[in-house]
Amino acid sequence: MYSEKVMDHFTNPRNVGEILDADGIGEVGNAKCGDIMRMYLKIEDGIIEDVKFKTFGCGSAIASSSMATELIKGRTINEAMALTNKAVADALDGLPPVKMHCSVLAEQAIKSALLDYSKKSGVHIDGLEDVNFDDDHHHDVHEH
Ligand code: FES
């Protein structure tokens, strides 16, 4: 049911932890399953220099956050903004349909952390104003 990559990132997640002097911290949750994901970003000159996460949730949420951090580390803010939950799931060689919302949490957690960074630093980030962190709405947009 789960790909080898999902199992790998679940049993050996990358970038777990916190960044104490993070430039942006995002936290999102899914009301239905109760899982929570927190994402910490260190940003310098528009580049995601470091990223760490803490996920209180299911294995797919842990694998999704691990993969998502790997996909945005060293990338630009705009590249991180462009990361979709589908890209996270694809990089994991797929998730079962009932677990796609776990990858949605990863996308939202990154955007939530970028929003926090934007507010604290005053740096404008294109596209952030369109982000909706409401679970159900987000599902409609990205899950199918
Ligand atoms: Fe909800 Fe995985 S079951 S995040």
Side-chain angles (χ1 to χ4, degrees), residues 30 32-35 37 57-61 98-99 101-103 105:
N30 182 293
K32 290 196 190 85
C33 64
D35 291 356
M37 197 179 285
C58 74
S60 296
V98 295
K99 290 290 179 179
H101 79 271
C102 316
S103 64
L105 273 189

Side-chain angles (χ1 to χ4, degrees), residues 1 9-11 20-22 42 55 57 62-63 65 70 84 94-95 104 117 119 132 134:
M1 174 170 172
H9 280 264
F10 168 55
T11 51
L20 290 179
D21 59 343
K42 194 82 199 144
T55 291
I62 290 167
S65 20
E70 287 287 274
T84 62
L95 284 169
V104 171
Y117 166 72
K119 279 184 189 154
N132 188 326
D134 174 59

Side-chain angles (χ1 to χ4, degrees), residues 96-134:
V98 295
K99 290 290 179 179
M100 279 306 279
H101 79 271
C102 316
S103 64
V104 171
L105 273 189
E107 179 192 328
Q108 288 180 326
I110 289 168
K111 289 187 170 138
S112 167
L114 286 171
L115 184 64
D116 183 49
Y117 166 72
S118 177
K119 279 184 189 154
K120 284 177 177 157
S121 65
V123 173
H124 174 81
I125 299 177
D126 278 339
L128 260 188
E129 53 282 341
D130 302 327
V131 177
N132 188 326
F133 293 103
D134 174 59

Side-chain angles (χ1 to χ4, degrees), residues 4 19 22 35-36 47 49 55 57-58 69 72 78 81 85 104 129:
E4 275 177 33
I19 299 175
D35 291 356
I36 294 170
I47 304 286
E49 292 290 344
T55 291
C58 74
T69 57
I72 65 165
N78 287 339
M81 275 297 296
N85 80 291
V104 171
E129 53 282 341

